[in-house]
Amino acid sequence: MIERSSVIAVLDRLEAVWGMEASPLDRSFGSPLDGLVATLLSQNTNDRNSEKAFYEMKSRYPSWESVAQARQESLVEAIRVAGLAPTKAARIREILSQIKKEFGHFTLDHLRGWDPISAKEYLENLPGVGPKTAGCVLAFELGMPSFPVDTHVARITKRLGWFQPSQSPVEIQAEMENLVPPERQGGGHLNFILHGRNTCHARKPACGTCGLADLCPSRVS
């Protein structure tokens, strides 16, 4: 069983090193729908390529109406750099169609007035949207509690001994959202990512300079 005090201790250490606090809305893409599509584009690629794809799409199609009306082949070409472009283009079009059908407009701004549980459930019922993608929209576009789990978060939490190697990101996210105080979830998520990118690398973790070394059973001497 994971001790909440152990989680808080790690959050404090990472915040001292990387400095991300609360839910960083300054990382917003401008609107919940923009953030949703940008996060969808980030699946299975890096931030540089996904952001390049997002802004190329927005340059070619300034409104969501124009994205919805774009030919599939043209939309695929606009986002190709993000990888899996045919699948992602189809998902974007399906999402836009569903939103327009349900709300009459290409917007998710109304989610700002929803409670976090309802907003999460709605997002996860959109095509191609899982807990991680929904969680990013909640944290960075809506300022709601969420602890999305990517490869960095999964790797670090498992090395800390909090989860078994076989546990999925979905399981880890649910448990982290139970353990981490709501007001620290968005910032905590980003601190884990920064630590994974800069210190707790997948192949050669820099345990000698890691601020968590004395807390980590997986540290390498």
Side-chain angles (χ1 to χ4, degrees):
M1 183 176 179
I2 308 167
E3 295 290 339
R4 187 182 297 268
S5 59
S6 298
V7 175
I8 298 300
V10 168
L11 289 174
D12 290 343
R13 296 273 189 99
L14 293 181
E15 188 172 304
V17 173
W18 304 112
M20 294 294 182
E21 301 177 6
S23 292
L25 292 175
D26 58 344
R27 293 177 62 88
S28 170
F29 279 87
S31 76
L33 182 51
D34 282 38
L36 174 63
V37 174
T39 306
L40 188 150
L41 289 170
S42 74
Q43 295 172 0
N44 303 109
T45 192
N46 57 49
D47 289 348
R48 182 181 63 185
N49 287 341
S50 64
E51 290 184 13
K52 184 176 181 180
F54 177 77
Y55 289 115
E56 177 63 25
M57 179 190 67
K58 296 288 281 186
S59 174
R60 296 191 191 189
Y61 308 106
S63 69
W64 289 116
E65 182 81 39
S66 61
V67 174
Q69 294 177 352
R71 292 186 300 109
Q72 172 78 0
E73 296 79 7
S74 298
L75 184 56
V76 167
E77 184 59 32
I79 65 172
R80 188 174 300 282
V81 68
L84 301 175
T87 299
K88 291 178 180 180
R91 290 289 181 267
I92 292 169
R93 291 162 64 88
E94 290 168 4
I95 287 170
L96 293 176
S97 176
Q98 184 169 326
I99 291 171
K100 180 67 177 293
K101 181 179 180 180
E102 293 176 346
F103 300 109
H105 302 281
F106 292 111
T107 180
L108 290 175
D109 289 354
H110 48 277
L111 295 184
R112 300 184 196 278
W114 291 22
D115 66 87
I117 293 176
S118 297
K120 180 180 180 180
E121 289 178 350
Y122 176 78
L123 290 168
E124 289 183 5
N125 281 319
L126 291 170
V129 177
K132 176 194 166 186
T133 298
C136 289
V137 177
L138 291 171
F140 307 130
E141 307 297 336
L142 299 171
M144 295 179 181
S146 182
F147 205 103
V149 173
D150 71 345
T151 56
H152 298 293
V153 177
R155 180 171 67 252
I156 295 169
T157 55
K158 289 178 181 180
R159 283 178 173 170
L160 286 167
W162 295 351
F163 300 99
Q164 296 300 313
S166 61
Q167 287 186 268
S168 70
V170 173
E171 293 177 282
I172 295 171
Q173 180 169 333
E175 186 64 18
M176 292 299 287
E177 289 174 350
N178 284 329
L179 290 166
V180 178
E183 69 276 8
R184 300 191 67 177
Q185 291 185 12
H189 158 80
L190 285 180
N191 286 325
F192 267 84
I193 289 176
L194 288 168
H195 197 65
R197 288 175 176 171
N198 295 285
T199 303
C200 193
H201 308 123
R203 295 190 177 183
K204 293 184 179 180
C207 298
T209 59
C210 178
L212 303 179
D214 61 315
L215 304 176
C216 182
S218 303
R219 65 185 178 276
V220 178
S221 301

